[in-house]
Amino acid sequence: MSSLETLEFHAPGVGLSFRAKLLVNDNPDVVEQVLAQLPLKSTLGHVVISGEAIWMPTRIVHLGRTNMVERHPGAVYLYAPGQTICLTYGKITESAKVNKFAEVFEEDLSKLQELGALVYEQTVAQPRRNIVEINVRRAA
């Protein structure tokens, strides 16, 4: 697989990394916009209502074609109104479809789940919030 087709997500403060396969054929407009933002340095937040998912702010303004699908663990999608990239790591409580542009490698799902739980603890559950940094780049 070409590194152009794979993203690497790395949270340096907690030492967790995982990879996601870009869905170039399924969502070329969003993939192109994401690649134009790389390398991307951001922070992570946790959704409050829609289930087990984390998000990172971006500067992506998307007005093009979409690939709307059901949410599932491992889905990487663009939430265009909020200009955020979101990653679903577990149970979903929201029925709206999402604009999926990548899929976390099955063998890396446990790392995403670990990061999701940590972000929840650090940003929602604890009364004192901490910033969790995330870096996204093309895989080497």
Side-chain angles (χ1 to χ4, degrees), residues 16-69:
L16 288 171
S17 295
F18 57 91
R19 299 161 298 143
K21 180 183 190 287
L22 287 168
L23 304 175
V24 177
N25 294 330
D26 295 339
N27 207 344
D29 291 357
V30 174
V31 168
E32 182 180 335
Q33 290 178 321
V34 169
L35 290 175
Q37 295 287 315
L38 299 181
L40 172 64
K41 189 174 198 175
S42 191
T43 57
L44 290 171
H46 196 283
V47 302
V48 179
I49 297 171
S50 59
E52 296 179 325
I54 53 178
W55 56 269
M56 67 189 79
T58 73
R59 294 181 181 195
I60 297 172
V61 176
H62 178 66
L63 303 171
R65 293 176 291 176
T66 62
N67 178 34
M68 303 306 284
V69 300

Side-chain angles (χ1 to χ4, degrees), residues 61-125:
V61 176
H62 178 66
L63 303 171
R65 293 176 291 176
T66 62
N67 178 34
M68 303 306 284
V69 300
E70 298 289 330
R71 297 170 205 229
H72 63 275
V76 182
Y77 59 94
L78 177 69
Y79 176 63
Q83 292 180 274
T84 57
I85 291 174
C86 304
L87 299 106
T88 301
Y89 70 88
K91 185 172 65 173
I92 312 306
T93 57
E94 172 70 49
S95 61
K97 293 185 177 183
V98 295
N99 191 6
K100 182 177 164 185
F101 68 88
E103 179 75 31
V104 173
F105 286 28
E106 189 170 333
E107 60 267 25
D108 288 358
L109 275 175
S110 63
K111 293 176 188 173
L112 171 59
Q113 291 165 339
E114 185 178 348
L115 180 61
L118 187 140
V119 172
Y120 179 81
E121 286 299 319
Q122 295 289 314
T123 65
V124 177

